[in-house]
Amino acid sequence: MDNNLAGDSPPPPPPPPPPPRPKWRKVAYGGMQIGYDDNYTDETFLEEMVMNANVVRRDLLKVMKDSISISQYLCIVALVVLVWFHTLQSSLDETSLLLLDLSLLALGFLVLLLTEEKMLSLRLLLRYVTNITFFTTGLYVLAPVYQTLTRSISSDSIWAVTVSLLLLHLFLHDYSGSTIRAPGALKSPSLTSCISVNASVVASVFVASRLPSRGHVFAVMLFSLQVFLFAPLVAYCIKKFSFGLHLGFSFALMGLTMYSVYALHRLFFVLFLVLVVVVNVVCPYWLIRMQEYKFEINGPWDEAKLCFDITD
Amino acid sequence: MAEPKLRVLMVSDFFFPNFGGVENHIYYLSQCLLNLGHKVVVMTHAYGNRSGVRYMTGGLKVYYVPWRPFTMQNTFPTVYGTLPIVRTILKRERITVVHGHQAFSTLCHEALMHARTMGYRVVFTDHSLYGFADVGSIHMNKVLQFTLADIDQAICVSHTSKENTVLRSGLAPGKVFMIPNAVDTAMFKPADVRPSSDDVITIVVISRLVYRKGADLLVEVIPEVCRLYPNVRFVVGGDGPKHVRLEEMREKHSLQDRVEMLGAVPHSRVRSVLVTGHIFLNSSLTEAFCIAILEAASCGLLTVSTRVGGVLPDDMVVLAEPDPDDMVRAIEKAISILPSINPEEMHNRMKKLYSWQDVAKRTEIVYDRALKCSNRNLLERLSRFLSCGAWAGKVFCMVMIIDYLLWRLLQLLQPDDDIEEAPDINFCN
């Protein structure tokens, strides 16, 4: 009824555009955010995730050089087993064994003296000499006990137990350092390295108990214990002193072992060669290949690390 | 009585009479869903003598299945042993959606697997954060991958939890909904008369005294704050292995009159402890969603906390790094802004920020979305499991196939029509 006769009526204004929805906030309070579903995911999703932050990047040559310590120790153990074998077969007699022991002792001492950085005082040297004297006297006194220790046990059991103990010793051995350290060392030995030392000592006792005379028992025990307890320390000192010397020493040992095993039995030689190749070449390559699959995830969901030590 | 719109079965090992975050969540969510007109049934394992069917407030029916828990409140995982009872419950109550809670609950995983085999819609809620590096977490994540490979929708309680769940299970982020927990603001009201903050400022700590909750941080922070502010006292509620360290700290610094240790505080008394304080301190090292902070804010306390970004607005919480110096700085800032805090106003704001009714409405939307998902047959579903891993995928497929065959066998032995349906009893007054 009310017609607008005054003139053309202006067109109705266009409807106002809908208000833009507010920006999405990554918060939990306030209920559902207007204009967004609860499963809305924007580009800030997973932006605080950190991948592979602490992964060590390894180089093939360095890993191979590090694996030489392992094959060096394998050669040392192989040489000990060879000496045992020859003694059991009576190819080595008492006097030559004792000579071997004394020369090894002197050599080891010499290496320690030459490679030790701190000045070895006379007092420390005297302490070492006293310890070694006690050690040797103790072994000599106990030799008759060892000789009759396993008389009632059959040989098969002895060989089986010795082999398993040696394998345990090799698996748990601390290849990076030495369980027996010079006084004042920082890190205390771990449980597995103590177990491995004990395994090797028990293996030597079992083998020594199979020998005919007291002198043999004493010589073999002294030899085995010298090598198992002190060879890692000597090898560690050489490695710390000079890497070239360490390489030379390892290759010399490997050559000596290969020659001795070859002289003994062809099959063992082939097996030993394969073992050394696997440890030195195949395993490093395998490790480097597996590194590509490493996927470490860190983010705000991780438990926070306390920056102070908890002293109870 | 009107037909309920949705019929939901909540499954978890963790329920009343146990007290905790998951238990409270299930209870409150169920009550609010009942108020919205849906039907909710809860399934859990027997707690001591509490076995069989029980009814709780509002007509919430709880099935305490007679399986004994074997470690950490979890049922012994028999993979197929729960199939008959789950089938019976689902048929009796004419359930449409099955909602499982907590990745650590074996009953939840098994029930979700059986529900999927029988063609029901499943929804899963994750309440915790897990790592990726240790043996336990790796296995848990694999089990979670299995359950979530074939799920309809998933819910997480915070954004950090959503990122964590997506990474652990390989689920698409679009399938995961973020619905936080809430707090019962009617129960957590500030005191009628606020304790005066002029002479003594009280800082309240209520948490389990374990490493994970940052009890060691408390041992460093409390003496420092007591030294800097002579008018501050602490009230520590809760018990745990680190209780001894806190006692030693009290002895060492002679703080017996300034640090009060209450021991374990039952849930019903938490509010009465909170209203005696002005500031709430939370020092946990990791937290998916901290409800304690919400309870404190609802009682009008200012919060000082580590690691819980996004839970409260910036003016209600002072954040700190899990480092003693930073926490002391945060407490100093909190003490300085304390005079401007009004507990009643904070409580009223909390009522708007968090409520269980809102959580229930958002969960209802998730259920509706789940019901709209297409129901695939067995062969199509098996292809989802194969992507879980080279060996694991095939093992999971075998598990599902055997589950399907066992279900068909059960249908032969006890046909669906023979299972009597329970009537819906109306408890509303």
Side-chain angles (χ1 to χ4, degrees):
Chain A
M1 191 119 161
D2 280 335
N3 290 337
N4 194 350
L5 298 167
D8 293 330
S9 51
R21 56 182 187 177
K23 192 167 167 331
W24 184 79
R25 290 178 307 155
K26 202 170 182 179
V27 293
Y29 53 84
M32 237 171 121
Q33 299 190 32
I34 306 169
Y36 297 97
D37 279 334
D38 278 323
N39 62 341
Y40 178 77
T41 318
D42 71 344
E43 60 277 349
T44 60
F45 188 67
L46 285 181
E47 69 177 356
E48 287 176 55
M49 179 172 82
V50 177
M51 297 203 289
N52 283 344
N54 300 327
V55 170
V56 172
R57 290 268 151 243
R58 293 199 169 92
D59 170 41
L60 183 63
L61 211 59
K62 181 159 190 325
V63 178
M64 281 174 72
K65 278 198 275 192
D66 288 336
S67 66
I68 290 188
S69 321
I70 304 180
S71 37
Q72 177 197 64
Y73 193 71
L74 281 174
C75 294
I76 294 179
V77 171
L79 283 172
V80 171
V81 172
L82 276 170
V83 167
W84 286 347
F85 198 72
H86 284 299
T87 318
L88 283 166
Q89 290 205 323
S90 311
S91 334
L92 273 178
D93 65 328
E94 271 181 58
T95 25
S96 39
L97 262 178
L98 279 170
L99 267 170
L100 183 64
D101 290 341
L102 284 171
S103 46
L104 277 179
L105 203 61
L107 266 175
F109 238 120
L110 204 66
V111 166
L112 272 179
L113 274 174
L114 289 174
T115 59
E116 199 59 39
E117 278 140 21
K118 339 189 258 294
M119 288 297 293
L120 276 178
S121 64
L122 191 65
R123 197 191 164 85
L124 197 62
L125 221 59
L126 211 61
R127 233 184 90 183
Y128 278 164
V129 169
T130 352
N131 280 348
I132 299 228
T133 329
F134 278 148
F135 183 60
T136 323
T137 326
L139 265 182
Y140 189 71
V141 165
L142 284 174
V145 178
Y146 294 142
Q147 194 188 10
T148 55
L149 196 64
T150 60
R151 205 165 265 179
S152 57
I153 308 179
S154 77
S155 293
D156 300 340
S157 331
I158 298 285
W159 306 141
V161 170
T162 310
V163 167
S164 15
L165 281 173
L166 270 183
L167 283 175
L168 184 70
H169 166 70
L170 283 173
F171 265 121
L172 296 180
H173 185 250
D174 180 12
Y175 289 100
S176 61
S178 163
T179 313
I180 316 277
R181 280 159 221 261
L186 290 160
K187 272 181 4 189
S188 54
S190 63
L191 176 66
T192 46
S193 62
C194 290
I195 295 179
S196 85
V197 167
N198 281 318
S200 59
V201 168
V202 175
S204 358
V205 168
F206 276 159
V207 167
S209 66
R210 286 281 138 187
L211 291 170
S213 88
R214 207 174 122 171
H216 273 114
V217 171
F218 169 65
V220 162
M221 276 300 295
L222 187 60
F223 171 73
S224 323
L225 286 184
Q226 256 178 337
V227 173
F228 282 129
L229 296 177
F230 299 120
L233 178 62
V234 168
Y236 177 68
C237 287
I238 294 180
K239 187 170 169 191
K240 226 173 37 157
F241 182 68
S242 136
F243 193 73
L245 196 62
H246 167 77
L247 271 181
F249 179 56
S250 312
F251 283 131
L253 263 181
M254 271 197 251
L256 177 63
T257 322
M258 300 276 191
Y259 174 70
S260 319
V261 176
Y262 184 73
L264 185 71
H265 201 278
R266 292 283 168 84
L267 180 62
F268 287 154
F269 170 69
V270 170
L271 285 175
F272 189 69
L273 192 62
V274 165
L275 181 65
V276 168
V277 163
V278 163
V279 164
N280 271 23
V281 177
V282 175
C283 285
Y285 180 67
W286 202 4
L287 179 68
I288 303 284
R289 280 291 298 275
M290 287 201 298
Q291 282 269 286
E292 288 157 21
Y293 295 108
K294 185 102 179 148
F295 184 37
E296 211 180 66
I297 309 175
N298 288 103
W301 47 81
D302 283 332
E303 209 174 85
K305 292 248 178 321
L306 291 176
C307 53
F308 52 90
D309 286 324
I310 301 172
T311 48
D312 272 326
Chain B
M1 131 155 193
E3 191 62 28
K5 299 175 252 181
L6 285 170
R7 309 173 79 93
V8 182
L9 174 70
M10 303 273 192
V11 186
S12 180
D13 272 310
F14 308 103
F15 195 62
F16 181 83
N18 226 23
F19 267 109
V22 181
E23 295 85 340
N24 275 346
H25 174 102
I26 300 176
Y27 178 73
Y28 282 121
L29 180 60
S30 310
Q31 290 294 332
C32 291
L33 283 172
L34 283 170
N35 282 341
L36 284 173
H38 305 294
K39 179 180 160 89
V40 182
V41 178
V42 178
M43 177 176 155
T44 180
H45 67 73
Y47 281 87
N49 281 340
R50 198 181 173 92
S51 162
V53 180
R54 297 278 199 273
Y55 285 89
M56 291 180 81
T57 320
L60 179 64
K61 191 170 184 180
V62 185
Y63 280 88
Y64 286 96
V65 173
W67 290 74
R68 292 253 161 229
F70 87 115
T71 168
M72 296 213 260
Q73 290 300 326
N74 271 327
T75 334
F76 189 73
T78 54
V79 189
Y80 302 114
T82 41
L83 179 58
I85 186 80
V86 167
R87 173 171 174 256
T88 311
I89 294 176
L90 289 173
K91 272 276 167 295
R92 264 183 67 87
E93 308 290 340
R94 290 175 282 148
I95 300 290
T96 47
V97 179
V98 179
H99 189 167
H101 290 266
Q102 187 62 312
F104 200 57
S105 159
T106 49
L107 188 62
C108 160
H109 287 293
E110 289 185 20
L112 289 184
M113 173 174 85
H114 300 317
R116 229 29 209 113
T117 311
M118 295 190 262
Y120 291 89
R121 300 281 180 267
V122 290
V123 177
F124 175 76
T125 298
D126 199 359
H127 293 262
S128 309
L129 295 175
Y130 284 101
F132 297 92
D134 54 308
V135 182
S137 298
I138 293 176
H139 285 110
M140 180 63 59
N141 293 346
K142 208 67 190 171
V143 172
L144 187 70
Q145 221 184 353
F146 167 65
T147 300
L148 293 189
D150 198 22
I151 202 124
D152 288 311
Q153 303 292 344
I155 301 177
C156 285
V157 294
S158 70
H159 289 287
T160 313
S161 180
K162 177 172 172 174
E163 293 176 358
N164 187 244
T165 304
V166 165
L167 277 175
R168 277 159 55 208
S169 63
L171 201 56
K175 260 195 172 173
V176 183
F177 287 75
M178 201 297 284
I179 303 179
N181 281 333
V183 65
D184 188 6
T185 41
M187 190 165 129
F188 289 94
K189 283 214 226 316
D192 298 322
V193 178
R194 189 195 181 189
S196 155
S197 64
D198 298 327
D199 36 356
V200 175
I201 297 182
T202 308
I203 302 185
V204 179
V205 179
I206 297 188
S207 78
R208 279 181 301 140
L209 300 176
V210 291
Y211 172 77
R212 210 159 188 253
K213 299 283 184 184
D216 299 297
L217 279 170
L218 283 179
V219 171
E220 303 291 323
V221 164
I222 292 181
E224 188 61 25
V225 172
C226 288
R227 188 181 64 86
L228 288 172
Y229 290 93
N231 61 337
V232 163
R233 61 179 272 270
F234 280 85
V235 173
V236 178
D239 206 0
K242 298 280 177 178
H243 183 254
V244 180
R245 287 203 74 209
L246 280 164
E247 290 283 359
E248 281 174 4
M249 179 263 303
R250 269 176 91 196
E251 296 277 328
K252 192 169 149 191
H253 298 272
S254 311
L255 293 170
Q256 284 90 340
D257 52 341
R258 296 182 63 188
V259 175
E260 192 185 331
M261 310 269 301
L262 296 174
V265 179
H267 199 237
S268 47
R269 282 194 41 223
V270 166
R271 188 236 164 205
S272 53
V273 173
L274 283 174
V275 295
T276 60
H278 304 97
I279 296 179
F280 183 78
L281 178 61
N282 172 44
S283 55
S284 59
L285 301 178
T286 177
E287 197 82 66
F289 191 92
C290 192
I291 302 191
I293 294 181
L294 299 190
E295 292 171 352
S298 179
C299 288
L301 279 81
L302 179 62
T303 310
V304 174
S305 171
T306 55
R307 293 259 152 160
V308 279
V311 171
L312 283 175
D314 293 324
D315 52 342
M316 282 171 146
V317 66
V318 181
L319 290 175
E321 293 296 310
D323 168 58
D325 298 323
D326 207 46
M327 285 181 76
V328 171
R329 177 208 58 84
I331 294 179
E332 283 175 1
K333 182 169 171 210
I335 292 177
S336 68
I337 64 177
L338 194 57
S340 62
I341 300 291
N342 180 355
E344 280 298 327
E345 184 216 323
M346 206 188 248
H347 174 78
N348 292 334
R349 273 181 76 191
M350 280 304 289
K351 280 204 281 202
K352 292 199 196 70
L353 290 177
Y354 284 103
S355 79
W356 282 111
Q357 284 82 1
D358 178 59
V359 170
K361 282 208 195 76
R362 289 157 85 172
T363 314
E364 203 184 9
I365 297 178
V366 176
Y367 291 151
D368 287 330
R369 288 281 279 270
L371 284 172
K372 286 201 190 76
C373 283
S374 63
N375 196 13
R376 300 172 190 217
N377 63 11
L378 178 69
L379 286 172
E380 285 168 3
R381 283 170 42 223
L382 284 180
S383 61
R384 291 198 209 174
F385 288 110
L386 279 173
S387 60
C388 286
W391 293 98
K394 299 177 178 69
V395 170
F396 294 160
C397 282
M398 281 304 304
V399 168
M400 287 310 279
I401 290 172
I402 297 178
D403 199 37
Y404 182 80
L405 292 171
L406 280 174
W407 173 48
R408 288 296 184 199
L409 179 68
L410 274 182
Q411 278 189 317
L412 270 176
L413 293 173
Q414 189 188 25
D416 285 345
D417 299 329
D418 281 356
I419 300 179
E420 192 186 334
E421 287 174 3
D424 292 328
I425 306 176
N426 189 3
F427 283 85
C428 298
N429 38 338

